[in-house]
Amino acid sequence: MSIIASIATGQAVGGIGIVRLSGEGCIDLADRVFACASGNKLSDSAGYRAHYGSVSDGSEWQDEAVAIVYRAPKSYTGEDVVELCCHGGPAVTRMALRACIEQGAQPAAPGEYTRRAFENGKLSLAQAEAVMSIISAEGRQAALAAQAAHDGRLNRRIDAIAQQLIDLSVRIAAWCDYPDEEEIPEVTDKQLTDGLSDVLNQLVTLRREGETGKLLREGVDTVICGKPNVGKSTLMNLLSGCERSIVTDIPGTTRDVVEEQIRLDDCVLRISDTAGLHDTSDQVEKIGVERTWRRLSECALVLAVFDGSKELDDDDRKLIDSLSDKPTIAVVNKSDQQQKIDIEYISNKIQHTVYTSALKGDGLAQLTAAIMDVTQLAGLDPSAGMIINERQCDCVRRAAEAVEEALNAACAGVTFDAVGVSIQYAIDCLLELTGERASDRIVDGVFAQFCVGK
Ligand code: GDP
């Protein structure tokens, strides 16, 4: 393996910037660009300690630095590794990197360090993906989920499911090949269908958790809707803590969709404040209303806002009736005023109702709790080891389909041989997820999404 080098820290001004080298011979190479103040050589270092000195490219330029030596196989990549910790300016790290490249290092490709760690057996493919998730996690829950995948909890869950399928497959094969051997235990239809149902349940749970986990990573696509003047823009401003939407007393002033990303607890909402939903003859307003109905059909969560100080009218009822099959929270606003709204009509159709005064900032905690509940983020245990990206989700989906196929075939009395084919495919999908049996194309695809330096 060639020696690779790259800047491991962000390309911005910072206290410290790190240039990382990996590969056989990289400690000797580091000795040609780094001089220990003690006069010792890095190649004589036992490793795992910091050496103070300076890095230079042979010209008049040099920088005060600390070098850390790791020896194979006890390093991130499993190879010899040196980290040169310089001052954190972009020019300094670039010059230190160039010095390493002039001495024979190759610029590292995106994710090449983690790929080497994977190829040297330090990480599974799913754990390597978790490294990327750890770096990009924005919220605490997303970071916990990535950490659990990195710790191998996801792998252990997947391995346990795969093992159940392998056991079933081995027993079926033995029973089919040697039905008359006394030592080979019989496989009954019931044992087979029970085993497959159990596996299917676990895969369905994994998928469901993965879908909810996606909301943690990508945020919840949310629409605030309701009649003009009920307080949608004021609520949006309260949620986002800034004055983005236009707030006026004139009905219909939010004509376009205003989008905002806001964080409530551990939940990120990608939230749109929309034009008020009501019958109108104004052409411009009409376009806004149509767009709102379209957004309503696409989004993952609806905050339907009503003016609690007024009775429900036809526009309110039309909205309520159209939301029955959408994850929705009815936000009864203007709770600071005398209430005239027909709550029963709302709660008969919409499961969650929250009272707010967007103007006074009341009810935000209840609204947050309802959002966590409706999106199922409240019940999520990110440390259980959940699937953390689309590739993993696709592997679980294909595995679940194959197990369902096997289960249907077993129930229909199809031969065990044929059931075994579907079980084998499900096992392959799960081993593809952990990387134990992933093709080069899949592995290339995973690492292509990494940043340089990781
Ligand atoms: P939108 O058309 O639904 O976006 O409504 P706006 O947010 O523009 O608000 C319409 C009017 O209702 C403004 O005068 C707001 O100040 C007022 N308003 C909004 N929320 C409340 C509330 O909770 N209580 C009271 N009393 N007035 C509110």
Side-chain angles (χ1 to χ4, degrees), residues 226-235 246-254 273-274 333-337 356-360:
K227 262 179 359 191
N229 236 16
V230 294
K232 298 181 297 298
S233 307
T234 314
L235 180 67
I246 319 150
V247 182
T248 69
D249 278 327
I250 312 154
T253 40
T254 309
D273 178 12
T274 57
N333 192 36
K334 308 198 185 180
S335 61
D336 53 296
Q337 295 192 331
T356 60
S357 168
L359 194 64
K360 302 206 158 166

PDB file of all heavy atoms in Angstrom, residues 226-235 246-254 273-274 333-337 356-360, ligand 1:
ATOM      1  N   GLY A 226     -53.511  26.662   7.525  1.00  0.00           N
ATOM      2  CA  GLY A 226     -54.694  27.176   8.209  1.00  0.00           C
ATOM      3  C   GLY A 226     -55.209  28.383   7.459  1.00  0.00           C
ATOM      4  O   GLY A 226     -54.554  28.871   6.523  1.00  0.00           O
ATOM      5  N   LYS A 227     -56.352  28.888   7.897  1.00  0.00           N
ATOM      6  CA  LYS A 227     -56.974  30.052   7.261  1.00  0.00           C
ATOM      7  C   LYS A 227     -56.091  31.294   7.437  1.00  0.00           C
ATOM      8  O   LYS A 227     -55.278  31.339   8.350  1.00  0.00           O
ATOM      9  CB  LYS A 227     -58.305  30.328   7.962  1.00  0.00           C
ATOM     10  CG  LYS A 227     -59.492  29.758   7.250  1.00  0.00           C
ATOM     11  CD  LYS A 227     -60.767  30.033   7.979  1.00  0.00           C
ATOM     12  CE  LYS A 227     -60.613  30.791   9.262  1.00  0.00           C
ATOM     13  NZ  LYS A 227     -61.807  30.831  10.064  1.00  0.00           N
ATOM     14  N   PRO A 228     -56.278  32.307   6.622  1.00  0.00           N
ATOM     15  CA  PRO A 228     -55.559  33.561   6.842  1.00  0.00           C
ATOM     16  C   PRO A 228     -55.875  34.116   8.233  1.00  0.00           C
ATOM     17  O   PRO A 228     -56.993  33.926   8.737  1.00  0.00           O
ATOM     18  CB  PRO A 228     -56.108  34.489   5.752  1.00  0.00           C
ATOM     19  CG  PRO A 228     -56.671  33.592   4.716  1.00  0.00           C
ATOM     20  CD  PRO A 228     -57.144  32.369   5.427  1.00  0.00           C
ATOM     21  N   ASN A 229     -54.864  34.720   8.835  1.00  0.00           N
ATOM     22  CA  ASN A 229     -55.047  35.485  10.075  1.00  0.00           C
ATOM     23  C   ASN A 229     -55.229  34.657  11.356  1.00  0.00           C
ATOM     24  O   ASN A 229     -55.561  35.212  12.394  1.00  0.00           O
ATOM     25  CB  ASN A 229     -56.248  36.434   9.935  1.00  0.00           C
ATOM     26  CG  ASN A 229     -55.805  37.851  10.211  1.00  0.00           C
ATOM     27  OD1 ASN A 229     -54.605  38.143  10.214  1.00  0.00           O
ATOM     28  ND2 ASN A 229     -56.748  38.734  10.475  1.00  0.00           N
ATOM     29  N   VAL A 230     -55.023  33.338  11.278  1.00  0.00           N
ATOM     30  CA  VAL A 230     -55.156  32.524  12.495  1.00  0.00           C
ATOM     31  C   VAL A 230     -53.884  32.580  13.344  1.00  0.00           C
ATOM     32  O   VAL A 230     -53.883  32.167  14.503  1.00  0.00           O
ATOM     33  CB  VAL A 230     -55.508  31.049  12.166  1.00  0.00           C
ATOM     34  CG1 VAL A 230     -56.883  30.930  11.552  1.00  0.00           C
ATOM     35  CG2 VAL A 230     -54.444  30.425  11.270  1.00  0.00           C
ATOM     36  N   GLY A 231     -52.773  33.072  12.722  1.00  0.00           N
ATOM     37  CA  GLY A 231     -51.514  33.220  13.473  1.00  0.00           C
ATOM     38  C   GLY A 231     -50.403  32.294  13.002  1.00  0.00           C
ATOM     39  O   GLY A 231     -49.458  32.018  13.747  1.00  0.00           O
ATOM     40  N   LYS A 232     -50.483  31.845  11.733  1.00  0.00           N
ATOM     41  CA  LYS A 232     -49.466  30.916  11.216  1.00  0.00           C
ATOM     42  C   LYS A 232     -48.080  31.551  11.202  1.00  0.00           C
ATOM     43  O   LYS A 232     -47.109  30.960  11.660  1.00  0.00           O
ATOM     44  CB  LYS A 232     -49.820  30.475   9.783  1.00  0.00           C
ATOM     45  CG  LYS A 232     -51.114  29.721   9.681  1.00  0.00           C
ATOM     46  CD  LYS A 232     -51.397  29.285   8.260  1.00  0.00           C
ATOM     47  CE  LYS A 232     -51.578  30.439   7.289  1.00  0.00           C
ATOM     48  NZ  LYS A 232     -52.723  31.303   7.606  1.00  0.00           N
ATOM     49  N   SER A 233     -48.001  32.774  10.674  1.00  0.00           N
ATOM     50  CA  SER A 233     -46.688  33.431  10.569  1.00  0.00           C
ATOM     51  C   SER A 233     -46.140  33.733  11.951  1.00  0.00           C
ATOM     52  O   SER A 233     -44.934  33.587  12.195  1.00  0.00           O
ATOM     53  CB  SER A 233     -46.805  34.728   9.768  1.00  0.00           C
ATOM     54  OG  SER A 233     -47.425  34.469   8.544  1.00  0.00           O
ATOM     55  N   THR A 234     -47.028  34.117  12.865  1.00  0.00           N
ATOM     56  CA  THR A 234     -46.579  34.415  14.228  1.00  0.00           C
ATOM     57  C   THR A 234     -46.049  33.130  14.870  1.00  0.00           C
ATOM     58  O   THR A 234     -45.014  33.145  15.548  1.00  0.00           O
ATOM     59  CB  THR A 234     -47.750  34.994  15.060  1.00  0.00           C
ATOM     60  OG1 THR A 234     -48.411  35.980  14.282  1.00  0.00           O
ATOM     61  CG2 THR A 234     -47.256  35.607  16.348  1.00  0.00           C
ATOM     62  N   LEU A 235     -46.724  32.016  14.621  1.00  0.00           N
ATOM     63  CA  LEU A 235     -46.269  30.731  15.168  1.00  0.00           C
ATOM     64  C   LEU A 235     -44.922  30.344  14.559  1.00  0.00           C
ATOM     65  O   LEU A 235     -44.008  29.914  15.265  1.00  0.00           O
ATOM     66  CB  LEU A 235     -47.309  29.635  14.868  1.00  0.00           C
ATOM     67  CG  LEU A 235     -46.950  28.250  15.385  1.00  0.00           C
ATOM     68  CD1 LEU A 235     -46.961  28.216  16.905  1.00  0.00           C
ATOM     69  CD2 LEU A 235     -47.904  27.194  14.842  1.00  0.00           C
ATOM     70  N   ILE A 246     -44.029  37.248   6.875  1.00  0.00           N
ATOM     71  CA  ILE A 246     -44.609  38.592   6.946  1.00  0.00           C
ATOM     72  C   ILE A 246     -45.840  38.515   7.859  1.00  0.00           C
ATOM     73  O   ILE A 246     -46.757  37.753   7.575  1.00  0.00           O
ATOM     74  CB  ILE A 246     -45.074  39.061   5.548  1.00  0.00           C
ATOM     75  CG1 ILE A 246     -44.041  38.655   4.487  1.00  0.00           C
ATOM     76  CG2 ILE A 246     -45.403  40.532   5.509  1.00  0.00           C
ATOM     77  CD1 ILE A 246     -44.668  38.393   3.123  1.00  0.00           C
ATOM     78  N   VAL A 247     -45.857  39.258   8.950  1.00  0.00           N
ATOM     79  CA  VAL A 247     -47.014  39.233   9.869  1.00  0.00           C
ATOM     80  C   VAL A 247     -47.786  40.543   9.726  1.00  0.00           C
ATOM     81  O   VAL A 247     -47.241  41.620   9.945  1.00  0.00           O
ATOM     82  CB  VAL A 247     -46.558  39.077  11.336  1.00  0.00           C
ATOM     83  CG1 VAL A 247     -47.756  39.009  12.269  1.00  0.00           C
ATOM     84  CG2 VAL A 247     -45.691  37.847  11.501  1.00  0.00           C
ATOM     85  N   THR A 248     -49.040  40.453   9.318  1.00  0.00           N
ATOM     86  CA  THR A 248     -49.886  41.652   9.244  1.00  0.00           C
ATOM     87  C   THR A 248     -51.308  41.283   9.658  1.00  0.00           C
ATOM     88  O   THR A 248     -51.618  40.110   9.812  1.00  0.00           O
ATOM     89  CB  THR A 248     -49.983  42.197   7.792  1.00  0.00           C
ATOM     90  OG1 THR A 248     -50.734  41.264   7.032  1.00  0.00           O
ATOM     91  CG2 THR A 248     -48.647  42.434   7.161  1.00  0.00           C
ATOM     92  N   ASP A 249     -52.147  42.296   9.813  1.00  0.00           N
ATOM     93  CA  ASP A 249     -53.551  42.043  10.139  1.00  0.00           C
ATOM     94  C   ASP A 249     -54.392  41.801   8.885  1.00  0.00           C
ATOM     95  O   ASP A 249     -55.568  41.490   8.979  1.00  0.00           O
ATOM     96  CB  ASP A 249     -54.143  43.253  10.901  1.00  0.00           C
ATOM     97  CG  ASP A 249     -53.782  43.169  12.368  1.00  0.00           C
ATOM     98  OD1 ASP A 249     -53.683  42.037  12.865  1.00  0.00           O
ATOM     99  OD2 ASP A 249     -53.599  44.230  12.984  1.00  0.00           O
ATOM    100  N   ILE A 250     -53.763  41.975   7.702  1.00  0.00           N
ATOM    101  CA  ILE A 250     -54.546  41.839   6.464  1.00  0.00           C
ATOM    102  C   ILE A 250     -54.539  40.373   6.020  1.00  0.00           C
ATOM    103  O   ILE A 250     -53.477  39.818   5.752  1.00  0.00           O
ATOM    104  CB  ILE A 250     -53.942  42.704   5.323  1.00  0.00           C
ATOM    105  CG1 ILE A 250     -53.679  44.111   5.846  1.00  0.00           C
ATOM    106  CG2 ILE A 250     -54.832  42.704   4.092  1.00  0.00           C
ATOM    107  CD1 ILE A 250     -52.581  44.839   5.101  1.00  0.00           C
ATOM    108  N   PRO A 251     -55.755  39.741   5.975  1.00  0.00           N
ATOM    109  CA  PRO A 251     -55.793  38.334   5.589  1.00  0.00           C
ATOM    110  C   PRO A 251     -55.136  38.113   4.227  1.00  0.00           C
ATOM    111  O   PRO A 251     -55.298  38.926   3.319  1.00  0.00           O
ATOM    112  CB  PRO A 251     -57.291  38.008   5.527  1.00  0.00           C
ATOM    113  CG  PRO A 251     -57.940  39.023   6.399  1.00  0.00           C
ATOM    114  CD  PRO A 251     -57.099  40.259   6.282  1.00  0.00           C
ATOM    115  N   GLY A 252     -54.380  36.994   4.090  1.00  0.00           N
ATOM    116  CA  GLY A 252     -53.808  36.629   2.785  1.00  0.00           C
ATOM    117  C   GLY A 252     -52.455  37.241   2.502  1.00  0.00           C
ATOM    118  O   GLY A 252     -52.030  37.261   1.353  1.00  0.00           O
ATOM    119  N   THR A 253     -51.755  37.751   3.527  1.00  0.00           N
ATOM    120  CA  THR A 253     -50.473  38.407   3.234  1.00  0.00           C
ATOM    121  C   THR A 253     -49.306  37.439   3.072  1.00  0.00           C
ATOM    122  O   THR A 253     -48.276  37.819   2.550  1.00  0.00           O
ATOM    123  CB  THR A 253     -50.110  39.452   4.303  1.00  0.00           C
ATOM    124  OG1 THR A 253     -50.460  38.952   5.562  1.00  0.00           O
ATOM    125  CG2 THR A 253     -50.743  40.787   4.015  1.00  0.00           C
ATOM    126  N   THR A 254     -49.445  36.182   3.532  1.00  0.00           N
ATOM    127  CA  THR A 254     -48.378  35.214   3.252  1.00  0.00           C
ATOM    128  C   THR A 254     -48.762  34.513   1.964  1.00  0.00           C
ATOM    129  O   THR A 254     -49.520  33.570   1.967  1.00  0.00           O
ATOM    130  CB  THR A 254     -48.229  34.187   4.386  1.00  0.00           C
ATOM    131  OG1 THR A 254     -48.123  34.894   5.593  1.00  0.00           O
ATOM    132  CG2 THR A 254     -47.006  33.321   4.208  1.00  0.00           C
ATOM    133  N   ASP A 273     -44.160  27.811   6.020  1.00  0.00           N
ATOM    134  CA  ASP A 273     -45.335  28.623   6.354  1.00  0.00           C
ATOM    135  C   ASP A 273     -46.000  28.880   5.006  1.00  0.00           C
ATOM    136  O   ASP A 273     -45.362  29.317   4.066  1.00  0.00           O
ATOM    137  CB  ASP A 273     -44.856  29.928   6.986  1.00  0.00           C
ATOM    138  CG  ASP A 273     -45.997  30.862   7.316  1.00  0.00           C
ATOM    139  OD1 ASP A 273     -47.153  30.429   7.277  1.00  0.00           O
ATOM    140  OD2 ASP A 273     -45.715  32.032   7.622  1.00  0.00           O
ATOM    141  N   THR A 274     -47.266  28.570   4.873  1.00  0.00           N
ATOM    142  CA  THR A 274     -47.891  28.624   3.554  1.00  0.00           C
ATOM    143  C   THR A 274     -48.946  29.723   3.491  1.00  0.00           C
ATOM    144  O   THR A 274     -49.355  30.269   4.514  1.00  0.00           O
ATOM    145  CB  THR A 274     -48.579  27.287   3.256  1.00  0.00           C
ATOM    146  OG1 THR A 274     -49.514  27.044   4.298  1.00  0.00           O
ATOM    147  CG2 THR A 274     -47.590  26.164   3.184  1.00  0.00           C
ATOM    148  N   ASN A 333     -54.757  28.249  18.283  1.00  0.00           N
ATOM    149  CA  ASN A 333     -53.960  29.436  18.641  1.00  0.00           C
ATOM    150  C   ASN A 333     -54.848  30.521  19.266  1.00  0.00           C
ATOM    151  O   ASN A 333     -56.067  30.407  19.298  1.00  0.00           O
ATOM    152  CB  ASN A 333     -53.261  29.956  17.371  1.00  0.00           C
ATOM    153  CG  ASN A 333     -52.202  30.981  17.682  1.00  0.00           C
ATOM    154  OD1 ASN A 333     -51.509  30.886  18.703  1.00  0.00           O
ATOM    155  ND2 ASN A 333     -52.081  31.985  16.832  1.00  0.00           N
ATOM    156  N   LYS A 334     -54.204  31.554  19.760  1.00  0.00           N
ATOM    157  CA  LYS A 334     -54.851  32.704  20.419  1.00  0.00           C
ATOM    158  C   LYS A 334     -55.528  32.254  21.717  1.00  0.00           C
ATOM    159  O   LYS A 334     -56.652  32.664  22.026  1.00  0.00           O
ATOM    160  CB  LYS A 334     -55.834  33.422  19.474  1.00  0.00           C
ATOM    161  CG  LYS A 334     -55.176  33.797  18.126  1.00  0.00           C
ATOM    162  CD  LYS A 334     -55.921  34.863  17.348  1.00  0.00           C
ATOM    163  CE  LYS A 334     -55.281  35.094  15.986  1.00  0.00           C
ATOM    164  NZ  LYS A 334     -55.898  36.088  15.159  1.00  0.00           N
ATOM    165  N   SER A 335     -54.836  31.381  22.456  1.00  0.00           N
ATOM    166  CA  SER A 335     -55.375  30.859  23.718  1.00  0.00           C
ATOM    167  C   SER A 335     -55.457  31.974  24.773  1.00  0.00           C
ATOM    168  O   SER A 335     -56.076  31.791  25.812  1.00  0.00           O
ATOM    169  CB  SER A 335     -54.504  29.717  24.246  1.00  0.00           C
ATOM    170  OG  SER A 335     -53.198  30.193  24.496  1.00  0.00           O
ATOM    171  N   ASP A 336     -54.824  33.117  24.482  1.00  0.00           N
ATOM    172  CA  ASP A 336     -54.907  34.258  25.412  1.00  0.00           C
ATOM    173  C   ASP A 336     -56.248  34.981  25.303  1.00  0.00           C
ATOM    174  O   ASP A 336     -56.560  35.864  26.093  1.00  0.00           O
ATOM    175  CB  ASP A 336     -53.748  35.238  25.130  1.00  0.00           C
ATOM    176  CG  ASP A 336     -53.698  35.652  23.676  1.00  0.00           C
ATOM    177  OD1 ASP A 336     -53.463  34.776  22.801  1.00  0.00           O
ATOM    178  OD2 ASP A 336     -53.909  36.822  23.368  1.00  0.00           O
ATOM    179  N   GLN A 337     -57.041  34.618  24.281  1.00  0.00           N
ATOM    180  CA  GLN A 337     -58.341  35.269  24.113  1.00  0.00           C
ATOM    181  C   GLN A 337     -59.476  34.325  24.501  1.00  0.00           C
ATOM    182  O   GLN A 337     -59.277  33.109  24.591  1.00  0.00           O
ATOM    183  CB  GLN A 337     -58.508  35.714  22.654  1.00  0.00           C
ATOM    184  CG  GLN A 337     -57.491  36.782  22.268  1.00  0.00           C
ATOM    185  CD  GLN A 337     -57.816  37.446  20.946  1.00  0.00           C
ATOM    186  OE1 GLN A 337     -58.415  36.839  20.069  1.00  0.00           O
ATOM    187  NE2 GLN A 337     -57.414  38.698  20.809  1.00  0.00           N
ATOM    188  N   THR A 356     -52.038  27.099  21.924  1.00  0.00           N
ATOM    189  CA  THR A 356     -50.900  28.021  21.956  1.00  0.00           C
ATOM    190  C   THR A 356     -51.384  29.466  21.931  1.00  0.00           C
ATOM    191  O   THR A 356     -52.493  29.758  21.478  1.00  0.00           O
ATOM    192  CB  THR A 356     -50.000  27.855  20.694  1.00  0.00           C
ATOM    193  OG1 THR A 356     -50.786  28.120  19.540  1.00  0.00           O
ATOM    194  CG2 THR A 356     -49.386  26.493  20.616  1.00  0.00           C
ATOM    195  N   SER A 357     -50.517  30.318  22.436  1.00  0.00           N
ATOM    196  CA  SER A 357     -50.645  31.729  22.117  1.00  0.00           C
ATOM    197  C   SER A 357     -49.314  32.099  21.477  1.00  0.00           C
ATOM    198  O   SER A 357     -48.315  32.315  22.172  1.00  0.00           O
ATOM    199  CB  SER A 357     -50.878  32.578  23.372  1.00  0.00           C
ATOM    200  OG  SER A 357     -50.704  33.935  23.011  1.00  0.00           O
ATOM    201  N   ALA A 358     -49.320  32.087  20.140  1.00  0.00           N
ATOM    202  CA  ALA A 358     -48.079  32.363  19.421  1.00  0.00           C
ATOM    203  C   ALA A 358     -47.592  33.770  19.757  1.00  0.00           C
ATOM    204  O   ALA A 358     -46.394  34.027  19.832  1.00  0.00           O
ATOM    205  CB  ALA A 358     -48.302  32.214  17.920  1.00  0.00           C
ATOM    206  N   LEU A 359     -48.562  34.654  19.995  1.00  0.00           N
ATOM    207  CA  LEU A 359     -48.219  36.044  20.297  1.00  0.00           C
ATOM    208  C   LEU A 359     -47.468  36.138  21.621  1.00  0.00           C
ATOM    209  O   LEU A 359     -46.472  36.849  21.736  1.00  0.00           O
ATOM    210  CB  LEU A 359     -49.505  36.868  20.360  1.00  0.00           C
ATOM    211  CG  LEU A 359     -49.347  38.382  20.338  1.00  0.00           C
ATOM    212  CD1 LEU A 359     -48.741  38.841  19.017  1.00  0.00           C
ATOM    213  CD2 LEU A 359     -50.700  39.072  20.545  1.00  0.00           C
ATOM    214  N   LYS A 360     -47.927  35.401  22.628  1.00  0.00           N
ATOM    215  CA  LYS A 360     -47.310  35.474  23.958  1.00  0.00           C
ATOM    216  C   LYS A 360     -46.237  34.413  24.185  1.00  0.00           C
ATOM    217  O   LYS A 360     -45.566  34.417  25.212  1.00  0.00           O
ATOM    218  CB  LYS A 360     -48.396  35.325  25.029  1.00  0.00           C
ATOM    219  CG  LYS A 360     -49.472  36.386  24.915  1.00  0.00           C
ATOM    220  CD  LYS A 360     -50.129  36.632  26.225  1.00  0.00           C
ATOM    221  CE  LYS A 360     -50.762  38.020  26.203  1.00  0.00           C
ATOM    222  NZ  LYS A 360     -51.690  38.255  27.276  1.00  0.00           N
TER     223      LYS A 360
HETATM  224  P1  GDP B   1     -51.466  34.280   9.400  1.00  0.00           P
HETATM  225  O1  GDP B   1     -52.190  35.003   8.314  1.00  0.00           O
HETATM  226  O2  GDP B   1     -52.179  33.027   9.762  1.00  0.00           O
HETATM  227  O3  GDP B   1     -50.038  34.063   9.085  1.00  0.00           O
HETATM  228  O4  GDP B   1     -51.573  35.193  10.711  1.00  0.00           O
HETATM  229  P2  GDP B   1     -50.500  36.189  11.345  1.00  0.00           P
HETATM  230  O5  GDP B   1     -49.419  35.433  12.005  1.00  0.00           O
HETATM  231  O6  GDP B   1     -50.127  37.186  10.290  1.00  0.00           O
HETATM  232  O7  GDP B   1     -51.373  36.844  12.510  1.00  0.00           O
HETATM  233  C1  GDP B   1     -52.572  37.530  12.264  1.00  0.00           C
HETATM  234  C2  GDP B   1     -52.892  38.447  13.449  1.00  0.00           C
HETATM  235  O8  GDP B   1     -53.175  37.644  14.593  1.00  0.00           O
HETATM  236  C3  GDP B   1     -51.729  39.355  13.839  1.00  0.00           C
HETATM  237  O9  GDP B   1     -52.259  40.594  14.236  1.00  0.00           O
HETATM  238  C4  GDP B   1     -51.104  38.653  15.007  1.00  0.00           C
HETATM  239  O10 GDP B   1     -50.438  39.523  15.889  1.00  0.00           O
HETATM  240  C5  GDP B   1     -52.336  38.039  15.671  1.00  0.00           C
HETATM  241  N1  GDP B   1     -52.000  36.858  16.467  1.00  0.00           N
HETATM  242  C6  GDP B   1     -51.237  35.820  16.104  1.00  0.00           C
HETATM  243  N2  GDP B   1     -51.163  34.917  17.111  1.00  0.00           N
HETATM  244  C7  GDP B   1     -51.885  35.413  18.142  1.00  0.00           C
HETATM  245  C8  GDP B   1     -52.170  34.950  19.482  1.00  0.00           C
HETATM  246  O11 GDP B   1     -51.734  33.888  19.932  1.00  0.00           O
HETATM  247  N3  GDP B   1     -52.982  35.743  20.233  1.00  0.00           N
HETATM  248  C9  GDP B   1     -53.484  36.898  19.775  1.00  0.00           C
HETATM  249  N4  GDP B   1     -54.255  37.587  20.592  1.00  0.00           N
HETATM  250  N5  GDP B   1     -53.215  37.386  18.545  1.00  0.00           N
HETATM  251  C10 GDP B   1     -52.435  36.644  17.739  1.00  0.00           C
END
